[in-house]
Amino acid sequence: MLDINQIRENSGNVIEMLSVRGEDFTSVIEEIKKLDSVWRLNLKEAEKLKAEKNSVSEQIGELKREGKDASGVIKKMQEVASRIKELDEKVKNVKSELDNKQRYIPNIPAEGIRKVDRIVREEGKKKDFSDSETPPLPHWDIGEMLKIIDLKTATKLSGSRFPLLKGEGAELERALITFMLDIHRKYHGYTEIMPPYLVKEEIMTGTGQMPKFGEDMYNTKKDNLYLIPTAEVPLTNMHREEIIGKEDLPKKYMAYTPCFRREAGSYGKDTGGLIRNHQFNKVELVNIVLPEESDNFHRQLLSESEEVLKRLGLTYRVLELGTCEIGFSATKTYDLEVWMPGEKKWREVSSCSNCRDFQARRMALRYRKEDGNTEYLHTLNSSGVAVGRIFAAILENFQTDEINVIIPKAIRKYIKRKTLIA
RNA sequence: GGAGAGGUACCCAAGUGGAUUAAGGGGGUGGUUUGCUAAACCACUAGCAGGCAUAACGCCUGGCCCGGGUUCAAAUCCCGGCCUCUCCGCCA
């Protein structure tokens, strides 16, 4: 959520800063501005009448105690009370419309970001398969031959786009999860959380998924709970509506969770294997930090995610997302993309964002400053990293002509094998 | 899921319609006394959100789990919800 004061004071500037997203927000911002002034006008009047009501009610109490007649004043106050009721109703309705409109406005991208994605750098070399007898296979073929991915059975159980890993496949996935969590715990100072996978609607609103992206979410109608699309949602909301002491910052939380996404409107896109499923595993990193420190933490967060890829020996590149591509809540985002030799494509395995105070504002997440006032904190998140896609990357990058897969050294202590053999 | 009890500030807790400016205690902070500590005593301790105003001070509204309602007036009465506890049922 954007600062309403910013919109009040300089709506033109806000519209301009939002326009880099490739969308025109002029009419919505102007509507917000208008609603805000109507709201304040009515609120002012209602509060004035309430002040009157309070003092007169006190007088009525006094009169009654003294045994005097108060019926005249009471009659007058009846009118005031009904006027207050009208105004309160109006104030409530206008405010809720205003809030709702505001919740649909995305964050303002950071300064100095280009319109389109920019490749920051590439790490490692694309593996050379020119000596191989056959070109590298996509991971779904390898997975099937090794009998570690069974999408047919997954479809039988849940329909399309669900994963089912079997035997050594399930083991590899589990090894990767533990490996990632261990790195972030040992070297990056994260506290591991096992959060609920179902959360309330207001929690989804806090991080920005709701109300705008309700279509992408699974929900349980009976209890109005939502399946988390990423652990960012529960982790970032952990301290919502709190005022955190400076001495307790930064907060660094991580969680492995399955993630659930309806992927509405992506039919026919990336249908192969483990790339775009309704359910996938991910290790997520969340930082809650002081505003002046968030840029530094953002860089650090990126390197923490990269560490996983480096240790696995995967070739990847770092993208700075263009202003038109940045997600709803973020001001700046780096994507990490791993090279998939079988698919011959770069595949996103991590998205590392600084949301600044956007989410904190939505969830009233603050800290106490030296002068005693409160200020919104900054929130950041990054995948550390997407497990299923790394699984796929390992299959594609470390396959041999015999359709075996060499297990990267970094995770051998978690899976206790050197190769997956067909 | 059923029956009952409850939710008041950092904690405990009083408060069944107007005198409450939400009692009292604990804790905390500051002070007095003091060789030091403890104790005693004194003072302060309602956060938060919002509106108005501003050089600064300040004024007002809301707020006793949340949302409605009744009333001139609600912590207090009524309705709905959430949460916690106890018992029963179900259950890995």
Side-chain angles (χ1 to χ4, degrees):
Chain A
M1 198 149 64
L2 300 181
D3 186 356
I4 187 71
N5 288 310
Q6 207 181 352
I7 295 171
R8 274 175 201 161
E9 283 156 25
N10 201 342
S11 58
N13 202 18
V14 172
I15 290 165
E16 199 191 316
M17 289 190 291
L18 282 170
S19 70
V20 299
R21 283 185 177 270
E23 205 180 320
D24 183 22
F25 290 92
T26 309
S27 63
V28 202
I29 295 287
E30 290 306 324
E31 265 178 80
I32 285 174
K33 218 176 147 182
K34 204 170 148 195
L35 283 169
D36 177 59
S37 83
V38 171
W39 171 66
R40 282 193 291 170
L41 202 74
N42 285 282
L43 182 68
K44 217 163 101 180
E45 197 185 338
E47 287 188 352
K48 211 174 112 194
L49 290 176
K50 280 178 191 175
E52 188 189 341
K53 179 200 79 177
N54 287 343
S55 82
V56 174
S57 288
E58 215 171 295
Q59 287 167 31
I60 292 171
E62 233 169 278
L63 289 173
K64 292 230 161 176
R65 256 174 274 127
E66 289 164 13
K68 291 179 184 161
D69 174 53
S71 56
V73 203
I74 288 175
K75 193 149 186 227
K76 206 177 130 201
M77 277 300 103
Q78 279 169 349
E79 285 165 33
V80 174
S82 83
R83 175 75 183 135
I84 288 173
K85 206 171 170 182
E86 273 171 41
L87 284 166
D88 273 351
E89 183 77 15
K90 176 123 195 231
V91 165
K92 199 181 85 186
N93 290 338
V94 173
K95 180 70 168 144
S96 91
E97 201 186 338
L98 176 61
D99 285 346
N100 192 47
K101 282 228 156 65
Q102 260 189 291
R103 280 195 266 267
Y104 275 89
I105 307 286
N107 205 351
I108 295 171
E111 278 180 33
I113 298 180
R114 295 186 201 177
K115 221 160 177 96
V116 292
D117 296 351
R118 177 172 75 88
I119 298 166
V120 180
R121 63 194 143 84
E122 234 174 88
E123 298 280 349
K125 273 188 193 152
K126 289 184 189 172
K127 204 179 165 199
D128 182 15
F129 282 90
S130 58
D131 288 345
S132 306
E133 288 161 29
T134 52
L137 297 170
H139 67 273
W140 51 87
D141 286 343
I142 304 168
E144 204 173 304
M145 290 178 199
L146 290 175
K147 298 190 172 60
I148 58 174
I149 301 177
D150 182 355
L151 296 178
K152 234 180 168 170
T153 303
T155 305
K156 182 156 82 181
L157 297 172
S158 306
S160 66
R161 296 189 177 226
F162 281 90
L164 191 150
L165 303 178
K166 202 161 74 181
E168 290 175 337
E171 270 184 71
L172 176 58
E173 182 89 353
R174 186 156 49 83
L176 284 168
I177 291 164
T178 313
F179 160 71
M180 292 177 195
L181 291 170
D182 278 356
I183 288 176
H184 299 308
R185 176 175 50 82
K186 280 187 198 159
Y187 307 113
H188 304 147
Y190 280 86
T191 304
E192 185 177 350
I193 305 293
M194 277 222 171
Y197 303 155
L198 284 161
V199 297
K200 301 177 200 162
E201 184 170 343
E202 73 207 71
I203 302 302
M204 286 293 204
T205 307
T207 29
Q209 282 76 16
M210 291 297 286
K212 197 172 175 190
F213 305 103
E215 275 305 295
D216 298 330
M217 244 64 69
Y218 288 100
N219 82 324
T220 62
K221 283 204 185 77
K222 267 190 183 168
D223 302 296
N224 200 29
L225 291 171
Y226 289 78
L227 276 157
I228 55 169
T230 158
E232 169 199 341
V233 175
L235 293 185
T236 312
N237 275 282
M238 276 172 63
H239 293 287
R240 63 180 287 124
E241 288 154 54
E242 285 182 21
I243 299 168
I244 304 180
K246 255 184 147 173
E247 65 282 3
D248 295 323
L249 293 165
K251 299 276 189 194
K252 294 180 85 176
Y253 294 123
M254 65 170 170
Y256 144 70
T257 69
C259 302
F260 304 92
R261 300 184 182 180
R262 292 190 62 233
E263 298 291 353
S266 69
Y267 301 107
K269 208 171 162 189
D270 301 329
T271 48
L274 302 173
I275 296 304
R276 191 182 293 274
N277 280 330
H278 291 310
Q279 180 189 320
F280 62 95
N281 293 319
K282 183 157 62 69
V283 169
E284 182 76 4
L285 308 173
V286 163
N287 290 183
I288 300 172
V289 308
L290 294 172
E292 61 268 27
E293 293 176 349
S294 75
D295 285 345
N296 283 337
F297 274 98
H298 192 203
R299 282 187 282 274
Q300 194 185 312
L301 195 49
L302 176 66
S303 73
E304 287 165 357
S305 294
E306 284 187 65
E307 184 65 22
V308 173
L309 306 181
K310 283 185 178 153
R311 283 176 184 253
L312 289 170
L314 291 167
T315 302
Y316 67 94
R317 64 181 188 181
V318 182
L319 249 53
E320 183 185 280
L321 291 193
T323 52
C324 297
E325 299 296 322
I326 293 175
F328 184 78
S329 298
T331 61
K332 185 172 182 175
T333 300
Y334 296 109
D335 271 8
L336 295 179
E337 294 187 333
V338 160
W339 178 247
M340 300 281 197
E343 282 195 273
K344 295 187 178 50
K345 273 182 183 161
W346 293 98
R347 284 295 190 187
E348 177 191 339
V349 295
S350 177
S351 195
C352 175
S353 299
N354 184 354
C355 299
R356 298 206 179 147
D357 63 358
F358 187 82
Q359 295 179 323
R361 214 174 268 287
R362 290 168 88 99
M363 57 177 83
L365 167 61
R366 293 147 295 163
Y367 75 102
R368 175 103 36 212
K369 294 192 291 184
E370 277 87 359
D371 64 9
N373 291 324
T374 59
E375 187 62 70
Y376 291 108
L377 285 159
H378 281 194
T379 60
L380 306 96
N381 59 78
S382 184
S383 332
V385 296
V387 185
R389 289 186 177 185
I390 293 298
F391 183 110
I394 287 173
L395 261 49
E396 295 198 12
N397 279 279
F398 306 128
Q399 58 183 297
T400 67
D401 277 335
E402 295 76 36
I403 321 294
N404 297 334
V405 172
I406 316 279
I407 302 282
K409 280 205 179 83
I411 52 169
R412 281 190 200 161
K413 77 173 204 198
Y414 297 99
I415 188 162
K416 306 259 186 331
R417 300 184 165 68
K418 286 184 181 169
T419 43
L420 301 180
I421 298 165

